[in-house]
Amino acid sequence: MTDRRDFKGYFGAEPAPNWPNAARLAVSFVVNVEEGAELSIADGDERNENTYEIREEIVGHPDPCMETHFTYGTRQGYARIADAFDAYGVKATFSTCGRAAQRSPWLLQDAVSRGHEVSCHGWRWERQAEMVGEDEAAMIARTHSAIEQASGVAPVGWHTRSAPSVNTRDLLLAHGGFVYDSDVYDDDIPRMHDASHVILPYAFDTNDMRFSPGGGFVQHRDFSEYVIGAFDRLYAEGAKATRMMSIGLHLRLIGRPGRIAGLEDVLAHIASKSDAWIAPRFQIAAHWKAIQA
């Protein structure tokens, strides 16, 4: 049977460690910038977003409660996260929706000035599974252009909220300029799609999205203990095989005053390991591409 899905991956032939400076683990912090790209009737969208601190959707009317929840991320959360990174010399990837970039260009400019990467996260904060080819291609081009214009740097990475379409990766390649995407959740090791395009796995478990209702994280230590546990396991495995770790963050989630200590604890723990390589995703992708050549 020929299967369209690869269930085996690297099993039985995992690549040996090969990160820069003999690092045992590559660590990627990804900050999702979605504020202003969430669905909102007040912005002319078809409905209001219903995924935030409470489980509620206002139907047919503007929802200032939801909107101000998101806006907290730019007004307060960003500064806490950026300062925490600065304290430990960490460079991250700010995965940004095009409409969010258009509304808060100052934020991306500040992130770039601190040495962070800015990548693409769709135009609106929405999945792409139902998009048809021409519409999705236009959305990709619009997103890329908005982020380049806002940040001053052409983005080279892409990550879809939730499900991409079956055409997304081909459309990224057709657009040009993209070095990697993160639309997979099936491994702890990068891989090549073809000779030029890298696939960097992402993760929903080592992610502050689990502070959302029903996600399992409540106290800041819930986040830090889980993420540190995952780091320690991958760090140990990284002595014998290649390992990469993604830590997902959101301005409006980990940026809250009762949660930011969770990120600070994670940063302190990882910083204590001299042979952990913390890098933006474009650097990880470039290194992986180089060693596969």
Side-chain angles (χ1 to χ4, degrees), residues 4-293:
R4 62 182 177 81
R5 297 163 64 188
D6 179 2
F7 288 90
K8 186 175 183 179
Y10 289 106
F11 181 79
E14 291 194 332
N18 200 0
W19 297 123
N21 301 315
R24 291 171 62 163
L25 177 62
V27 180
S28 165
F29 285 91
V30 177
V31 184
N32 295 279
V33 182
E34 300 152 348
E35 289 72 11
E38 76 280 3
L39 300 184
S40 175
I41 286 177
D43 283 333
D45 297 325
E46 63 274 18
R47 64 174 180 85
N48 292 317
E49 179 56 53
N50 62 359
T51 301
Y52 57 114
E53 295 281 354
I54 60 175
R55 292 191 181 279
E56 184 175 55
E57 182 177 8
I58 302 301
V59 178
H61 302 279
D63 187 353
C65 174
M66 179 274 298
E67 288 191 334
T68 54
H69 161 72
F70 273 82
T71 309
Y72 185 91
T74 54
R75 293 169 65 100
Q76 291 291 337
Y78 170 73
R80 292 192 183 107
I81 295 169
D83 289 348
F85 286 153
D86 283 351
Y88 290 93
V90 165
K91 306 306 179 187
T93 295
F94 283 72
S95 182
T96 306
C97 294
R99 194 165 78 178
Q102 192 176 67
R103 301 177 93 162
S104 298
W106 61 270
L107 189 154
L108 300 190
Q109 292 160 16
D110 185 78
V112 169
S113 74
R114 297 176 191 240
H116 301 298
E117 174 191 11
V118 180
S119 64
C120 295
H121 194 33
W123 175 254
R124 301 191 304 183
W125 189 49
E126 62 183 341
R127 65 189 184 190
Q128 293 165 221
E130 300 91 347
M131 290 186 181
V132 297
E134 292 184 358
D135 291 344
E136 188 177 12
M139 182 274 294
I140 289 171
R142 186 183 188 189
T143 301
H144 189 278
S145 176
I147 290 176
E148 181 175 11
Q149 184 174 8
S151 69
V153 180
V156 299
W158 183 276
H159 181 222
T160 306
R161 178 202 174 177
S162 187
S165 79
V166 296
N167 301 311
T168 300
R169 186 167 292 127
D170 288 339
L171 292 171
L172 294 176
L173 294 171
H175 177 276
F178 288 102
V179 174
Y180 73 89
D181 74 75
S182 301
D183 285 344
V184 301
Y185 307 85
D186 57 4
D187 217 323
D188 299 310
I189 307 172
R191 62 182 180 267
M192 301 300 298
H193 172 68
D194 57 23
S196 62
H197 191 81
V198 184
I199 299 175
L200 298 180
Y202 192 57
F204 287 150
D205 64 325
T206 49
N207 195 308
D208 70 356
M209 65 187 287
R210 295 183 60 200
F211 279 116
S212 298
F217 290 169
V218 177
Q219 303 296 332
H220 69 82
R221 68 182 68 90
D222 297 332
F223 173 82
S224 59
E225 289 179 0
Y226 187 92
V227 173
I228 288 171
F231 171 86
D232 286 348
R233 180 57 183 247
L234 292 172
Y235 178 83
E237 293 178 358
K240 296 182 179 180
T242 296
R243 290 292 184 267
M244 173 187 171
M245 180 179 188
S246 296
I247 302 172
L249 307 170
H250 298 75
L251 303 181
R252 63 191 180 277
L253 294 177
I254 202 69
R256 287 279 172 175
R259 298 169 178 162
I260 192 66
L263 174 59
E264 293 166 340
D265 290 347
V266 168
L267 290 168
H269 183 80
I270 296 177
S272 71
K273 307 291 187 182
S274 61
D275 50 355
W277 179 42
I278 306 174
R281 290 176 96 74
F282 83 93
Q283 290 185 1
I284 297 173
H287 177 80
W288 191 259
K289 180 179 177 180
I291 65 176
Q292 301 302 311

